[in-house]
Structures are given as structure tokens and as C-alpha cells.
Amino acid sequence: VIFDEAVMESVSRTAIALAPELDQRHVALEHCLGKLNDRDRIMILTRYERGHGVAEAASQSGRSLNAAYKALARLRNLLFDCVTNRLERESAVSS
């Protein structure tokens, strides 16, 4: 697929505009990951490491595949809430 110059420029402008928010979210995510227990943190990091999947994360965490899917869903929700709350608190403090 070849994109024309206008599309590429639009994508570039959007990326530049979103960079500060993405940096804040990344810092918040690192903080929230640090709050997880070692087993959960290793599992979620393994799951999202390039070339790995749920089966690898399950194996490394000592969970069954079914339990890993459930744990990952719970962890994703927990991390989403943690990041969202942290960003809201930071926004309220800076206002």
C-alpha cells in the first residue's frame, strides 16, 4: 500500500500532537506495572513481548491457558483503571 504525501503529513501531525499524552500514559503504565506482584507483572510483560503469546505467559506463570486468559483480562482492566486514575489525579493537581 502506498500512501500519498497528504496522508503521511496528516499522520505525522497527529503523532506529534499525541506524543505528550502518550508519554504521560507510558509513565503512568510503568508506575502501575510496578504496583503488580511479581507473578502478574512477569505474566503480562511476557504476554506482550514480541513473539510471545498467552500460551508462553501461562507457561511462565505456572497457570493453565484458561486461567491465563482470565488473569490477563483482569490485569488489563486493573492496569487500565490504574493508568486512568493516575492521569486524572495528575490532571487535577496541575489544574
Side-chain angles (χ1 to χ4, degrees), residues 44 47-48 69 71-81:
I44 202 149
R47 164 57 186 98
Y48 290 104
Y69 275 108
L72 286 167
R74 178 184 57 81
L75 290 169
R76 282 190 292 265
N77 288 332
L78 185 78
L79 289 170
F80 177 82
D81 290 344

Side-chain angles (χ1 to χ4, degrees), residues 32-48 53-76 78-79:
C32 294
L33 282 167
K35 292 172 67 174
L36 296 177
N37 66 53
D38 289 343
R39 182 180 186 208
D40 287 343
R41 183 175 45 259
I42 290 169
M43 186 170 101
I44 202 149
L45 292 175
T46 300
R47 164 57 186 98
Y48 290 104
V54 177
E56 179 72 19
S59 174
Q60 285 195 11
S61 69
R63 291 177 166 104
S64 70
L65 191 57
N66 190 40
Y69 275 108
K70 289 178 183 178
L72 286 167
R74 178 184 57 81
L75 290 169
R76 282 190 292 265
L78 185 78
L79 289 170

Side-chain angles (χ1 to χ4, degrees), residues 10-31:
S10 176
V11 169
S12 177
R13 280 193 309 270
T14 301
I16 290 168
L18 291 176
E21 179 183 344
L22 293 176
D23 288 344
Q24 291 172 340
R25 291 185 83 69
H26 187 257
V27 169
L29 178 58
E30 284 183 28
H31 169 81

